Amino acid sequence: MAKKLIIEHLNAWFGNVQALKDINLDIEENGVTAVIGPSGCGKTTFVRCLNRIHEVVDNAKVNGSVLLDGENIYSNMMDPVLVRRRIGMVFQKPNPFPAMSIFENVAAGIRLNGSKKKNEIADRVEKSIKMAALWDEVKDKLYKSATALSGGQQQRLCIARTIAIEPEVILMDEPASALDPISTARIEELIQQIKERYTIVIVTHNMQQAARVSDYTGFFLLGELIEFNKTSDIFTNPKDKKTEDYITGRFG
Amino acid sequence: MGNRIGDRIIKFASLLFASVILVLVAGIVYELIKGSGRSLAKFGWGFLITSTWDPVNKVFGALPFIFGTIVSSIIALIIALPLSIGIAIFLSELAPKKVRIYVSLMIEMLAAVPSIIYGLWGLFVMTPFLQTRIEPLLGKHLGFIPLFQGPPLGVGMLAGGLILSIMIIPTIASITRDIFNTIPTLYKEAGFAIGMTRWEVISKIVFPQARSGMIGAVMLGFGRALGETMAITMVIGNAPVISASLFSPAYTMSSVIANEFTEATSKLYISSLIELALLLFIISMLFNAIAKLLIKRGRFTQ
Amino acid sequence: MNSFSYLKRRILNKFMLFLSYGSAAFGVVILFLILSYIIIKGASSINLDFFIKLPKPTGETGGGIANAIVGSFIVVGTASLIAIPVGVMSGIYLAEFGKNKFAFLIRYFADVMNGIPSIVTGIVAYVFVVVPMHGFSALAGGIALSIMMIPIITRTSEELIKMVPDTIREAGLALGIPQWKVILFIVLRTASTGIVTGIMLAVARVGGETAPLLFTAFNNSFMSFRLDQPISTMTVLIYNYASSPYPDWNAIAWGSAFVLIIIVLVVNILSKMFTNTKYSL
């Protein structure tokens, strides 16, 4: 398989606090890569650096490089807005745009690209919501407020919103941590269904989830990447003592 | 047992002081209505639409003052609104923390500057500048529009609107900033994540969410502008004229009270001025009440 | 990706953000413009005489504003003496006993009072005090300003007393301290820094008011310490001297504006520092 993202010497700071220390890691195309580690280990910061949303926060700094198909997204030539259209993101808390309807939530990203025909937008919205396995639940209330949906539905709507802009990579920052077990299972199922079309990087604090959904797993601790390997290897045969301690539940 | 009495005393005493507020407001309303009685009886609704203000012949109509008050406040709003929103965006979305603290402080200082100082500066610095530079320029290039016709006097409607706009910018900007700040980052990040530019995040996510609060901020600013006295009295020219030109002098309700109340000789004259005060009171109260409601509702809560 | 439409979006983005930076710059520049004029024009007319002499009659140069400085302090002092007890006590009532309809009404009326245009306050004080006393007086000026101060102090006190956590009240009550002592000696004391700051800000705010004094405190060319007589204040003096045709008097107006703005800004900045250090601890 090809390498979709190559991360080299990535460092990130909040003010004077270093959140990531010299991360080097390759992400395979059309695979699911899980990022695990105890809270505060930098895993969320890591994925936020991959679509340059880290720098939206006041005081945040990054250096190092992230190559997307060989192109450094941190080069001066790259526009973060365009990077984010190629690398979509689903957040920890479901965050549909509160002032928009379900339809508008998904259409918002499509419309940014300039004037499009109405039915073309409607088609893409429908396709995206279907792909997010939400269509049957919302098809009768597309023009109702998105905030009326349940948490799990909202999160799938956010996935539909991300899919709608046709990204190449989807970053997921603990997408199920705010959801109940049934909704969690549906999100995991969904990841399995869409992974052939996208490269997925998922942050999770739930090791079973990492084991269930991912092909590769990276273990982060205190801002450092301790170990990165095939998921099956990490969970059966960790090379680092700290990884072993973590997955066997000795800390974290 | 003494302590139970102590508890009662403090409750009763604090209640008593709080009642002072009630009595004061009731007293204010009563006195304003009573004071306007003579004018209300004589002129009725006609007071509002008569444009003659003639103390010698004892004919009093408030129209030029209502016109001056409302138009100067609208001009102020037209100038202040975009600037205030710009400042609010800068403070809540763009400025690095260190810059933000200092700029916030300066905008707050702008709010703390007394009205009389705005008036002094307006009279001696701003109006000469308008008279010699801005108004001739506007007249030359835009003179075909009635708004910019007439001799450049410096003092007048334009000067009044400008000085009011500077005075209401801090009000509108700081409330709008506060409302922007209540909108959670996660919604803004969702916008960035689907490839919105910063302006798109602001205009498509922040604005719709903050709308009712922003309208409230505008109304509060407008209410302030309507009731403002000293600064505008010093720069608006104080002539009861209704003119389409921004260069023309005008007169506001508050200004005519400030200028003529101590000189008002007849009872009807005084009563007419008090009726103007009553009008101002009612208008300000309305704007404040609606504004407070909108601002309260406009804070992001989920 | 439609690159032309993206170019448009990017230009719009840059343009709007530029306008936002521009607005902030405008606000800052205006403040500096006003302050620099007041400082340059004001400082040049200030000397020792300015603070200790009385105004000279028309045509004579020199003189000072001693009477107006004293007058402003007397009027604002009178206002504070009335407004601080009423405001703080009302704040206590609203915060500690304020879960009823009557308190709701008080809060609403305090907001109404806060929104009264200052010129209307002047008229009201005129009717309340000047008419019954048959003349302008420092007392009338003080009452006019107190009408503006009361709602500010009430609402700040209420908010600050409410910010005192209930655990502190309960801790006091659990020690067997009666409620009134808990309120006066524990809660009020905890909130006192904030309340004092709020009072300082209210004083600075009404100290800069002119409109309510025009037909209450009125004016006086001489030194007066009496509450029942008209009195000169800095703000009214600025107004009268600024509107006069004599450059000497205009200069005195600038000088007084300088003194006034220094006081107002110092109080504001001090109170900011006061609250900042308090909350950052």
Side-chain angles (χ1 to χ4, degrees):
Chain A
M1 272 200 281
K3 296 190 186 342
K4 186 72 186 172
L5 287 167
I6 300 170
I7 294 114
E8 287 171 339
H9 305 297
L10 185 71
N11 291 284
W13 291 266
F14 290 106
N16 294 320
V17 183
Q18 188 163 11
L20 289 178
K21 295 170 192 157
D22 195 37
I23 307 296
N24 293 281
L25 166 71
D26 298 346
I27 290 182
E28 296 288 339
E29 186 155 19
N30 295 348
V32 178
T33 302
V35 179
I36 61 168
S39 29
C41 68
K43 54 190 194 295
T44 292
T45 308
F46 172 68
V47 290
R48 289 171 62 91
C49 286
L50 299 185
N51 69 341
R52 297 191 60 173
I53 213 163
H54 174 68
E55 66 204 58
V56 170
V57 182
D58 198 21
N59 250 345
K61 274 184 308 205
V62 193
N63 71 33
S65 57
V66 174
L67 307 179
L68 171 65
D69 291 335
E71 250 185 309
N72 187 3
I73 65 169
Y74 282 101
S75 93
N76 291 331
M77 307 295 292
M78 284 293 243
D79 183 335
V81 171
L82 296 179
V83 169
R84 292 181 200 125
R85 291 193 70 92
R86 294 175 64 189
I87 307 182
M89 186 166 198
V90 177
F91 295 82
Q92 183 167 5
K93 258 183 88 185
N95 55 357
F97 302 129
M100 298 183 194
S101 68
I102 293 171
F103 183 90
E104 281 304 320
N105 258 278
V106 183
I110 303 171
R111 289 222 174 96
L112 289 179
N113 236 346
S115 57
K116 279 242 169 63
K117 293 202 176 68
K118 254 190 174 167
N119 48 0
E120 200 182 321
I121 291 172
D123 281 352
R124 264 174 77 179
V125 169
E126 183 176 339
K127 214 177 84 192
S128 309
I129 299 180
K130 275 183 175 155
M131 223 196 293
L134 188 64
W135 183 252
D136 291 336
E137 292 155 68
V138 301
K139 64 177 182 221
D140 301 324
K141 44 180 173 185
L142 285 175
Y143 298 98
K144 294 252 164 69
S145 167
T147 47
L149 298 174
S150 76
Q153 288 172 328
Q154 286 189 17
Q155 194 63 304
R156 275 179 283 143
L157 181 65
C158 292
I159 295 175
R161 181 176 68 191
T162 306
I163 290 172
I165 57 168
E166 298 173 341
E168 298 155 42
V169 181
I170 297 180
L171 309 173
M172 296 184 166
D173 182 12
E174 306 199 25
S177 68
L179 306 180
D180 60 272
I182 294 170
S183 303
T184 303
R186 299 199 65 162
I187 300 277
E188 289 181 12
E189 222 173 281
L190 181 58
I191 292 171
Q192 293 302 331
Q193 283 161 12
I194 62 175
K195 76 173 189 186
E196 288 138 40
R197 312 178 55 139
Y198 306 98
T199 303
I200 294 173
V201 183
I202 177 170
V203 173
T204 176
H205 60 255
N206 177 337
M207 277 171 285
Q208 284 78 25
Q209 187 170 62
R212 280 194 301 264
V213 302
S214 70
D215 308 309
Y216 297 87
T217 298
F219 170 61
F220 278 69
L221 186 64
L222 299 170
E224 288 180 78
L225 176 64
I226 303 296
E227 190 170 349
F228 179 72
N229 213 331
K230 286 208 163 111
T231 301
S232 49
D233 290 345
I234 285 254
F235 283 96
T236 54
N237 185 20
K239 294 204 176 61
D240 197 294
K241 180 75 169 55
K242 286 177 241 167
T243 316
E244 189 183 340
D245 286 350
Y246 181 67
I247 59 177
T248 52
R250 253 169 255 168
F251 69 87
Chain B
M1 260 3 256
N3 287 326
R4 291 258 307 270
I5 294 172
D7 290 353
R8 281 192 188 175
I9 288 176
I10 188 157
K11 185 168 179 180
F12 182 72
S14 66
L15 177 74
L16 204 69
F17 277 102
S19 311
V20 170
I21 293 175
L22 220 63
V23 173
L24 265 177
V25 174
I28 289 168
V29 174
Y30 173 79
E31 290 292 352
L32 286 178
I33 294 174
K34 198 182 109 190
S36 324
R38 205 176 286 263
S39 159
L40 279 168
K42 178 90 191 279
F43 305 113
W45 292 108
F47 185 72
L48 302 179
I49 50 165
T50 306
S51 55
T52 316
W53 184 265
D54 184 355
V56 179
N57 295 313
K58 294 185 181 169
V59 181
F60 299 102
L63 193 61
F65 311 113
I66 297 174
F67 174 83
T69 298
I70 292 178
V71 173
S72 61
S73 299
I74 290 175
I75 296 170
L77 207 55
I78 291 172
I79 300 166
L81 182 61
L83 287 166
S84 307
I85 293 178
I87 292 172
I89 292 172
F90 176 80
L91 292 177
S92 74
E93 312 291 331
L94 303 181
K97 201 174 172 191
K98 278 180 191 159
V99 180
R100 185 168 63 214
I101 292 170
Y102 289 108
V103 176
S104 279
L105 186 72
M106 286 179 212
I107 301 298
E108 276 168 51
M109 292 301 119
L110 213 47
V113 172
S115 169
I116 184 78
I117 293 200
Y118 279 111
L120 185 70
W121 182 82
L123 181 62
F124 287 106
V125 182
M126 192 184 73
T127 51
F129 182 70
L130 286 178
Q131 186 177 16
T132 55
R133 300 284 165 83
I134 305 292
E135 288 181 354
L137 200 74
L138 285 172
K140 197 171 150 200
H141 296 287
L142 297 166
F144 57 92
I145 308 172
L147 284 177
F148 304 109
Q149 284 166 0
L153 301 171
V155 293
M157 194 62 109
L158 182 64
L162 273 172
I163 205 80
L164 286 182
S165 77
I166 298 172
M167 298 178 74
I168 62 175
I169 282 174
T171 309
I172 305 180
S174 62
I175 297 171
T176 308
R177 175 208 49 198
D178 288 348
I179 291 182
F180 286 175
N181 280 340
T182 65
I183 295 165
T185 323
L186 82 162
Y187 295 112
K188 296 179 208 162
E189 287 185 345
F192 286 118
I194 61 168
M196 286 183 177
T197 61
R198 204 172 267 275
W199 168 247
E200 284 162 348
V201 168
I202 292 163
S203 63
K204 294 190 167 139
I205 296 169
V206 175
F207 282 178
Q209 212 56 49
R211 203 179 58 202
S212 93
M214 282 161 79
I215 297 173
V218 165
M219 295 190 65
L220 204 62
F222 195 64
R224 292 263 155 89
L226 291 173
E228 171 45 44
T229 310
M230 297 319 294
I232 193 153
T233 303
M234 292 168 86
V235 302
I236 202 167
N238 297 336
V241 176
I242 297 180
S243 160
S245 172
L246 294 179
F247 300 166
S248 159
Y251 219 156
T252 70
M253 296 197 267
S254 54
S255 304
V256 72
I257 300 172
N259 282 330
E260 299 186 5
F261 195 75
T262 46
E263 292 155 16
T265 39
S266 72
K267 282 180 174 159
L268 186 62
Y269 195 0
I270 291 179
S271 179
S272 300
L273 288 168
I274 295 181
E275 190 179 345
L276 284 176
L278 177 67
L279 270 173
L280 262 183
F281 173 79
I282 293 171
I283 300 173
S284 313
M285 205 180 68
L286 267 175
F287 272 94
N288 274 311
I290 302 171
K292 290 258 160 65
L293 202 74
L294 286 169
I295 291 166
K296 215 169 160 185
R297 246 191 23 200
R299 297 191 168 272
F300 190 94
T301 43
Q302 202 182 25
Chain C
M1 175 101 355
N2 181 338
S3 61
F4 177 66
S5 84
Y6 180 60
L7 187 69
K8 272 200 307 195
R9 286 171 56 204
R10 223 169 64 169
I11 291 171
L12 180 71
N13 181 52
K14 285 266 185 309
F15 179 67
M16 297 312 282
L17 297 191
F18 171 77
L19 287 186
S20 169
Y21 285 107
S23 316
F26 175 83
V28 172
V29 166
I30 284 285
L31 179 70
F32 278 106
L33 268 181
I34 293 172
L35 292 187
S36 55
Y37 269 97
I38 302 282
I39 290 168
I40 293 165
K41 290 208 159 194
S44 60
S45 52
I46 284 187
N47 47 38
L48 186 63
D49 277 359
F50 190 78
F51 293 99
I52 56 170
K53 292 265 173 72
L54 293 179
K56 288 273 171 66
T58 325
E60 289 179 44
T61 49
I65 59 160
N67 58 337
I69 295 176
V70 170
S72 277
F73 277 99
I74 289 176
V75 173
V76 174
T78 310
S80 306
L81 279 180
I82 301 166
I84 293 171
V86 175
V88 175
M89 286 299 270
S90 305
I92 292 177
Y93 178 76
L94 292 178
E96 297 289 330
F97 311 104
K99 288 190 181 101
N100 52 50
K101 277 196 183 140
F102 183 71
F104 179 82
L105 200 68
I106 301 274
R107 258 182 224 115
Y108 181 75
F109 274 45
D111 279 346
V112 169
M113 237 171 125
N114 201 12
I116 298 178
S118 56
I119 188 81
V120 177
T121 311
I123 294 234
V124 166
Y126 177 87
V127 179
F128 279 172
V129 189
V130 177
V131 174
M133 283 176 66
H134 303 290
F136 304 115
S137 63
L139 181 67
I143 287 175
L145 294 187
S146 77
I147 294 176
M148 305 192 67
M149 274 176 97
I150 287 171
I152 310 177
I153 298 180
T154 301
R155 295 312 296 268
T156 353
S157 307
E158 182 197 355
E159 263 163 46
L160 288 157
I161 293 171
K162 272 186 178 163
M163 269 164 58
V164 176
D166 272 340
T167 47
I168 287 184
R169 291 186 184 82
E170 284 159 10
L173 293 172
L175 288 172
I177 304 170
Q179 194 190 12
W180 69 275
K181 280 189 179 164
V182 170
I183 292 173
L184 287 184
F185 300 116
I186 300 176
V187 175
L188 209 54
R189 216 175 135 180
T190 314
S192 61
T193 324
I195 294 178
V196 170
T197 314
I199 290 173
M200 276 164 59
L201 284 174
V203 168
R205 158 108 194 269
V206 302
E209 280 297 341
T210 315
L213 302 178
L214 290 174
F215 21 85
T216 52
F218 198 61
N219 195 356
N220 191 335
S221 324
F222 304 100
M223 183 65 84
S224 164
F225 298 97
R226 290 180 59 168
L227 282 183
D228 61 347
Q229 291 297 317
I231 202 164
S232 174
T233 54
M234 282 192 275
T235 50
V236 174
L237 180 132
I238 296 173
Y239 180 55
N240 290 336
Y241 280 23
S243 338
S244 88
Y246 309 107
D248 273 0
W249 281 14
N250 294 347
I252 290 181
W254 283 104
S256 314
F258 178 74
V259 176
L260 182 66
I261 198 132
I262 296 289
I263 298 174
V264 168
L265 292 189
V266 164
V267 171
N268 269 280
I269 292 170
L270 274 184
S271 63
K272 256 259 98 65
M273 282 161 52
F274 222 32
T275 40
N276 279 349
T277 46
K278 187 180 161 238
Y279 294 121
S280 64
L281 280 176

